Amino acid sequence: MAENTFSQTPAGGKYEQNLNNNELLELLQATIDSSLDMIQVFKAVRNEKHEIIDFIWILNNKTSEEFYGNVIGKSLLALNPGVVKEGIFETFKKVVETGDADQSVRHYVHEQFDGWFLQSTVKQGDGVATTTKDITEANAAKELVQTVFDVIINPISYHKAVRDSTGRIIDFELQLENQKAREHALDDRTGQRCSEAYPGIRDSLVFEKYCQVVETGASLDTEVELKLKGSNYWFHLLAAKLGDGLVASAADVTQRKHAEAEILRLKDEITQRTEEKYRMLFNSIDEGFSLLELIFNDDGKIVDYWHRDDNPSFIRMTGIKNPTNRRMSELVPDLEPAWHEMLEQVYYTGEPIRTEYKVQQLGRWYTCYLSRVGDSGSPFIAAVYDDITDRKQRELDQEFLLKLSDSLRTEITAGAVANRALQLLIDHMQLDRSYITSYCLDENRAYLNYQLGNDTVAPLPDHFVLSDYPEAFKAVSGETLVIEDELERQGLSKDEIKNSGKLGMRAMIAATVRRGSEKPLWSMAAVSSQARRWKNNEIRLVEEAAERTWAALERAEADESLRIAEERYRIALDSAKMGTWDWNVKDDQILWNEQHYLLLGLQPDQLLKPADYFLQFVYADDLEMVKNQLMQAFQYTGQYHAEAFRIIRPDGKIRWMSGYGRTVTWEQDRSARIVGVMFDITHRKLLEQQKEQFISIASHELRTPVTSIKSYAEILEDQFVENGDLQSAGLMRKMDIQIDRLTSLIYALLDSSLVTEGRLPLKKEEFDLNQLLIDTIENIQRIAGSHSIRMELEPDIRIFADEERIRQVLINLITNAVKYSPEAEKVIVHLASLTKEVRICVQDFGIGIDEQVQHHLFEPFFRSSDAAGFSGIGLGLFISAGIVRQHGGSIWVESRQGEGAKFCFTIPAPGS
């Protein structure tokens, strides 16, 4: 037995305890089990070239076991093949070979996992140790906030207040900013204080305003001028309190403010400045400028206006040539009425107006600042324009992408996802056709899985031969394919021009999803029947739509596969007449499938039931066992196994059932959700009862005639010996041996019948267990051949039991150990005295037992396929288990195939 060792320190008289290996391992296991992260240790598996071809588990903490179960000694690639696709296997190999640690964020969607994980990997001997943290929820929340921020076109950030010991705000810390804000930063400012990022900010009006927002909760909407990096800037500030901080948006309006300042200055000085100075300024500003003269009807309504002066920027951004001294109705017929209404407001109130609007006839978006020139009654209006078409287009594209994602999320099937994406893209970009194609390089084909469009581009064939379009396929393999006019493309062969003409496609964008850097998987194409100059934002839009559609298709196809698998599972359960149940332990609500109701003789419904509703059908004699199994599963094991119990149906009929269940959700070390099955074993139980009745009758009826035959055989043997017929006497002796074997078989059958019926007689008395072991082992050792049967005993162990029956168990276990370890040299018998019981274990080093069949070993007539080459009828372990259990003990096996087996049983200690 293992003992702690102590070393004495002579000077102080203290002792230092050295933990043995087992205690160190237990300490290590307890330490890693305290972690909520998955901690695992793997050992490398190498081939004959010493190359790493796999890893096996050698250590797991409790969190890992909740996901994997007992996987010690098992193959990583067999249980988690997804580690190859995600690069985890290569990372493990690299860490082992180089010794360099690795920490990576993984998006792992394979086997039983679906989420984001932070994984740290270090070398451990010829293997690795890993710590894996589930960051799915944190990552999703962060991505959601960042996504919301990033779709906002203006810079936006979150500042947390920094306070001194008195609670006064002395600074702000920058904790989050969107993509637009990062575009204007020289480096990542996250975590910096405002005073560090912007020296002098604390002495500015902005800091004072920010403090007011946080302290009062009042929102901020103002424009301020700041000096940053040696230059003056104007910002339109918006801010709102959030927690002990604020969300702030700062739009750079410096150009607009400068333009407005120039306009106001121009308005005040227009009569004073010379035409040369005025024209120089007028022609140099980037913003478009027009001096308008209003035209009124008799009711004082503006009906039109003259363009009296326009700078080159106005002509450039509108495309209107020679506008000066022409009416607007001539330049842009049918101008929107709202434009005249704004001019009237400025004219009559004298207050300037800033607005955003789209001129439909020009197809462009503008911002415009309108102000009256001169005093009240002056018909002149100054207009400053800025073309914001690109910005508005980005906003519209972003709105489209959000609509696309939301729409695809609601579709169930892959076909519905694809068709919805294609239709939205066609409507948004005004396309003639759009399609999705997948590439099969081995077949030299591209298959058009989905397509939509009008008649200007005829429906495309269901597949292309890739070699018919070598240039196009080469282009799409490397980058997004953009064709503005197929007829003007250079470098096409005659065959390609001919094939393209047949398809009717003139202009195209084909965005490709690739695996790795080269291999194309899938393309989404936008097609026009006419030549078209594609804009950069349109190309980016198709690329982004392709990525989102691909992700949605992957999700839909996975969901569809899951639905098919669930339907197959349901069909399998129905065909097997197997009832299923799902128990929400926390709320005590059980959901049954239809077959479960039918097994109980009930009409199916969809109502949730408490556990007691089921227990009312359980036969009274079996109720305690079923309850105990459920409580064991709930509190300790997580597994429910009621192998055989009876239920009483409402019609009074009694049926035999078998039930199994497993915990799928744990909360605070207890089962929160258990799912399982129940099926009818009545027919099987009837057959078993008939078999037991036959065995009982046969064993009783055979015992008397066999005894008579043995007596006659012994008499005949003696007579042959007296008559000198030694050959016949030898035959009778062999017959007597076979009769002894038949007698043993009959007694085994009789014992099995008594065990089944619970009537095995016991003659209990107190005896020395050590002496029984010594006597039994000495007798078996004589016939054990080359095996050495070793004993590990403890002194003075006495038990109160049937000595002969315990001897019968020992003989069975030890002879089995010898029989099933033909190549081994030893068998170990270990005796241990515990608090309330005595434990005996018999260990061999033979063929071992498959884990899948171990729970059947103590059933009558069961023989493992591994034991096919050995004699026996499968009753020894069944009888031994009956003897042990009738003594109030338990019996079990610990084994792995090819590694031997250890059979143990316990007997209650006297007085326990």
Side-chain angles (χ1 to χ4, degrees):
M1 297 180 65
E3 296 182 350
N4 292 332
T5 60
F6 295 83
S7 59
Q8 186 174 17
T9 304
K14 297 182 180 179
Y15 290 87
E16 177 184 349
Q17 184 176 3
N18 298 314
L19 300 176
N20 62 31
N21 289 337
N22 288 337
E23 291 170 327
L24 286 172
L25 288 175
E26 290 175 358
L27 179 61
L28 171 61
Q29 189 67 52
T31 302
I32 66 174
D33 282 348
S34 67
S35 173
L36 297 178
D37 297 334
M38 289 187 286
I39 301 176
Q40 305 170 84
V41 181
F42 299 88
K43 180 179 180 182
V45 178
R46 300 178 180 270
N47 61 15
E48 61 276 3
K49 297 180 181 179
H50 205 62
E51 299 169 333
I52 297 177
I53 60 172
D54 201 351
F55 289 86
I56 61 172
W57 272 273
I58 61 174
L59 186 63
N60 261 344
N61 74 339
K62 185 176 180 181
T63 303
S64 299
E65 289 181 350
E66 290 177 2
F67 283 95
Y68 292 94
N70 184 7
V71 293
I72 301 302
K74 295 185 180 179
S75 162
L76 172 64
L77 295 186
L79 295 182
N80 288 103
V83 299
V84 176
K85 180 178 180 181
E86 298 301 330
I88 297 174
F89 182 69
E90 288 299 322
T91 298
F92 281 14
K93 293 197 323 187
K94 181 179 177 182
V95 170
V96 175
E97 301 296 350
T98 67
D100 296 333
D102 177 80
Q103 186 175 69
S104 302
V105 174
R106 309 279 188 182
H107 187 200
Y108 197 84
V109 188
H110 305 281
E111 299 90 37
Q112 67 268 48
F113 297 99
D114 183 2
W116 288 86
F117 300 89
L118 175 64
Q119 186 173 65
S120 302
T121 308
V122 297
K123 181 180 174 74
Q124 177 63 41
D126 191 28
V128 295
T130 69
T131 301
T132 307
K133 182 179 184 65
D134 189 339
I135 60 171
T136 305
E137 292 184 359
N139 198 61
K142 181 179 179 182
E143 287 183 353
L144 176 60
V145 172
Q146 192 64 56
T147 300
V148 172
F149 266 38
D150 286 344
V151 299
I152 300 173
I153 61 173
N154 288 325
I156 186 169
S157 56
Y158 174 70
H159 303 264
K160 180 174 175 55
V162 179
R163 299 178 182 269
D164 62 15
S165 59
T166 66
R168 185 173 62 90
I169 298 176
I170 60 172
D171 210 333
F172 288 92
E173 179 179 295
L174 181 61
Q175 292 196 341
L176 186 65
E177 61 183 355
N178 70 345
Q179 186 172 351
K180 193 67 177 178
R182 290 193 294 272
E183 289 179 1
H184 300 285
L186 297 177
D187 51 22
D188 185 0
R189 299 171 296 181
T190 303
Q192 262 190 309
R193 292 192 175 187
C194 286
S195 59
E196 297 170 350
Y198 306 106
I201 191 71
R202 287 189 292 188
D203 299 325
S204 69
L205 178 63
V206 174
F207 186 83
E208 179 183 340
K209 295 289 186 182
Y210 278 8
C211 290
Q212 290 176 1
V213 171
V214 176
E215 299 292 14
T216 68
S219 60
L220 174 67
D221 184 353
T222 189
E223 292 182 349
V224 298
E225 186 177 17
L226 292 175
K227 188 170 186 177
L228 298 174
K229 300 180 180 178
S231 301
N232 289 331
Y233 293 86
W234 276 92
F235 292 96
H236 185 183
L237 297 182
L238 296 171
K241 178 179 174 65
L242 179 62
D244 193 27
L246 75 162
V247 177
S249 173
D252 188 342
V253 294
T254 305
Q255 273 194 329
R256 174 174 62 75
K257 295 294 287 188
H258 287 172
E260 292 173 6
E262 289 295 331
I263 292 168
L264 292 174
R265 187 168 61 85
L266 178 64
K267 182 178 69 172
D268 294 337
E269 299 177 3
I270 194 167
T271 58
Q272 302 174 16
R273 290 184 176 275
T274 64
E275 179 66 21
E276 180 181 355
K277 290 183 178 179
Y278 161 73
R279 189 59 57 187
M280 183 183 300
L281 173 63
F282 186 70
N283 292 335
S284 64
I285 62 175
D286 292 332
E287 288 77 13
F289 179 87
S290 296
L291 181 61
L292 311 178
E293 183 180 354
L294 305 179
I295 301 173
F296 299 89
N297 64 12
D298 295 339
D299 296 326
K301 294 288 185 181
I302 296 175
V303 292
D304 205 347
Y305 56 88
W306 294 94
H307 271 258
R308 291 309 185 188
D309 209 350
D310 303 279
N311 71 349
S313 293
F314 171 81
I315 297 171
R316 171 181 53 78
M317 67 177 55
T318 62
I320 300 175
K321 297 181 179 180
N322 304 317
T324 306
N325 292 324
R326 296 169 67 186
R327 289 192 176 201
M328 190 62 185
S329 58
E330 177 189 353
L331 301 176
V332 182
D334 302 320
L335 189 66
E336 293 82 359
W339 179 249
H340 286 173
E341 294 172 4
M342 287 188 291
L343 289 172
E344 285 180 4
Q345 182 178 344
V346 173
Y347 171 77
Y348 285 110
T349 67
E351 296 294 329
I353 288 178
R354 179 181 294 105
T355 186
E356 288 185 0
Y357 69 100
K358 182 178 183 181
V359 180
Q360 298 290 348
Q361 295 87 336
L362 300 179
R364 309 290 295 176
W365 278 88
Y366 300 95
T367 60
C368 184
Y369 182 81
L370 302 172
S371 61
R372 190 175 67 192
V373 179
D375 296 331
S376 175
S378 170
F380 292 99
I381 301 290
V384 179
Y385 310 92
D386 193 9
D387 189 336
I388 59 170
T389 305
D390 289 344
R391 191 197 83 193
K392 293 297 290 188
Q393 190 59 56
R394 287 195 299 271
E395 292 175 359
L396 292 173
D397 288 346
Q398 188 63 40
E399 182 181 341
F400 164 76
L401 291 173
L402 290 173
K403 179 180 178 182
L404 176 69
S405 295
D406 291 341
S407 299
L408 299 187
R409 196 176 295 115
T410 63
E411 300 297 345
I412 298 175
T413 65
V417 167
N419 289 330
R420 175 64 69 91
L422 294 176
Q423 190 61 59
L424 288 173
L425 190 65
I426 288 172
D427 294 342
H428 183 73
M429 296 184 65
Q430 313 244 320
L431 304 173
D432 295 312
R433 185 162 291 275
S434 183
Y435 65 84
I436 293 171
T437 184
S438 57
Y439 300 103
C440 294
L441 305 184
D442 296 340
E443 301 177 20
N444 188 31
R445 291 193 176 191
Y447 291 95
L448 269 76
N449 308 97
Y450 312 98
Q451 62 172 308
L452 291 176
N454 57 40
D455 294 337
T456 60
V457 176
L460 303 174
D462 61 358
H463 71 275
F464 298 134
V465 177
L466 293 175
S467 57
D468 289 345
Y469 304 90
E471 293 299 322
F473 182 63
K474 180 179 178 182
V476 83
S477 298
E479 58 187 12
T480 297
L481 174 65
V482 179
I483 301 174
E484 296 186 335
D485 190 346
E486 183 70 14
L487 300 181
E488 295 179 359
R489 288 182 68 201
Q490 301 297 317
L492 295 182
S493 66
K494 293 181 179 179
D495 288 339
E496 282 190 282
I497 295 174
K498 179 180 178 182
N499 291 331
S500 296
K502 290 179 181 178
L503 298 176
M505 297 184 293
R506 187 84 177 266
M508 173 194 295
I509 301 173
T512 302
V513 176
R514 301 172 184 83
R515 177 176 294 164
S517 59
E518 297 181 357
K519 185 178 179 182
L521 295 175
W522 181 91
S523 289
M524 188 175 195
V527 178
S528 173
S529 61
Q530 302 297 322
R532 181 166 171 174
R533 303 304 176 196
W534 301 106
K535 300 174 184 176
N536 289 335
N537 72 285
E538 292 177 318
I539 297 171
R540 290 193 299 269
L541 186 71
V542 175
E543 292 173 339
E544 182 64 28
E547 290 289 345
R548 297 189 183 201
T549 304
W550 166 263
L553 279 173
E554 289 278 277
R555 183 263 307 161
E557 289 171 355
D559 289 348
E560 204 162 352
S561 298
L562 179 60
R563 284 193 296 274
I564 292 171
E566 288 176 344
E567 180 61 18
R568 289 174 178 167
Y569 174 66
R570 186 190 64 78
I571 293 172
L573 288 176
D574 288 346
S575 63
K577 295 184 178 180
M578 187 175 292
T580 65
W581 49 271
D582 188 335
W583 184 19
N584 181 334
V585 180
K586 183 177 179 181
D587 299 330
D588 191 21
Q589 293 183 331
I590 302 179
L591 178 66
W592 292 341
N593 72 343
E594 181 176 334
Q595 187 61 36
H596 202 288
Y597 284 94
L598 297 178
L599 289 173
L600 294 175
L602 302 173
Q603 285 297 321
D605 62 47
Q606 298 299 318
L607 300 177
L608 298 174
K609 306 288 192 297
D612 286 344
Y613 182 80
F614 165 71
L615 294 175
Q616 69 178 324
F617 296 99
V618 179
Y619 194 75
D621 291 348
D622 301 330
L623 183 59
E624 194 65 27
M625 180 273 291
V626 174
K627 283 184 176 180
N628 288 338
Q629 285 292 325
L630 287 172
M631 290 305 296
Q632 286 288 325
F634 164 61
Q635 294 180 335
Y636 305 112
T637 66
Q639 295 185 358
Y640 163 74
H641 182 190
E643 186 170 358
F645 63 94
R646 289 160 289 182
I647 59 102
I648 305 177
R649 290 180 170 180
D651 60 7
K653 292 183 179 179
I654 297 176
R655 305 291 294 180
W656 280 92
M657 299 290 163
S658 186
Y660 300 89
R662 181 180 292 275
T663 296
V664 295
T665 303
W666 293 87
E667 289 184 5
Q668 298 179 347
D669 296 330
R670 291 200 172 193
S671 297
R673 181 183 172 205
I674 307 175
V675 297
V677 297
M678 184 177 77
F679 47 93
D680 194 317
I681 60 170
T682 304
H683 182 64
R684 190 187 82 190
K685 293 296 291 185
L686 290 174
L687 291 177
E688 289 177 356
Q689 290 172 5
Q690 293 170 1
K691 181 181 70 176
E692 294 300 332
Q693 289 172 1
F694 170 76
I695 291 172
S696 178
I697 294 171
S699 59
H700 279 89
E701 295 298 326
L702 287 172
R703 186 165 53 174
T704 300
V706 168
T707 302
S708 300
I709 293 172
K710 178 174 177 64
S711 299
Y712 295 145
E714 290 174 350
I715 293 170
L716 287 173
E717 181 185 353
D718 291 341
Q719 290 179 354
F720 285 134
V721 171
E722 290 177 4
N723 296 332
D725 188 350
L726 299 180
Q727 182 177 5
S728 297
L731 292 173
M732 294 309 298
R733 191 175 302 108
K734 292 179 180 180
M735 179 178 176
D736 189 47
I737 293 172
Q738 297 303 318
I739 292 172
D740 287 340
R741 290 181 178 174
L742 180 58
T743 301
S744 297
L745 174 59
I746 291 170
Y747 277 102
L749 290 171
L750 182 59
D751 281 348
S752 71
S753 177
L754 294 173
V755 168
T756 301
E757 297 171 4
R759 297 189 298 106
L760 188 69
L762 297 179
K763 298 178 181 178
K764 292 186 177 182
E765 59 183 358
E766 188 174 301
F767 61 91
D768 186 338
L769 185 56
N770 277 308
Q771 191 60 48
L772 176 63
L773 279 168
I774 293 170
D775 294 343
T776 304
I777 291 171
E778 284 180 354
N779 290 333
I780 298 175
Q781 184 66 75
R782 298 189 184 99
I783 59 172
S786 61
H787 285 79
S788 172
I789 305 176
R790 302 180 184 178
M791 293 180 286
E792 297 178 356
L793 308 180
E794 287 190 6
D796 301 326
I797 296 182
R798 301 182 66 81
I799 62 174
F800 185 74
D802 187 323
E803 183 173 2
E804 290 307 313
R805 289 298 187 184
I806 299 301
R807 188 193 307 275
Q808 184 178 348
V809 174
L810 290 171
I811 291 172
N812 179 261
L813 296 182
I814 297 172
T815 54
N816 278 352
V818 173
K819 178 167 60 176
Y820 293 112
S821 60
E823 304 298 327
E825 297 179 352
K826 64 181 178 180
V827 170
I828 298 175
V829 180
H830 178 77
L831 173 62
S833 177
L834 307 178
T835 305
K836 294 184 179 181
E837 59 190 9
V838 175
R839 183 182 64 209
I840 302 114
C841 291
V842 178
Q843 183 178 6
D844 68 58
F845 302 90
I847 62 175
I849 304 165
D850 187 348
E851 294 180 18
Q852 301 297 322
V853 302
Q854 288 180 15
H855 63 285
H856 292 298
L857 286 178
F858 301 104
E859 297 175 1
F861 303 105
F862 176 80
R863 284 178 56 75
S864 167
S865 59
D866 299 325
F870 301 91
S871 62
I873 60 172
L875 285 176
L877 289 175
F878 172 67
I879 295 170
S880 295
I883 293 171
V884 171
R885 289 165 184 159
Q886 200 155 334
H887 276 83
S890 58
I891 187 168
W892 68 94
V893 62
E894 301 169 4
S895 178
R896 285 186 180 175
Q897 206 162 14
E899 298 181 9
K902 180 162 72 173
F903 282 85
C904 299
F905 68 94
T906 61
I907 298 296
S912 61

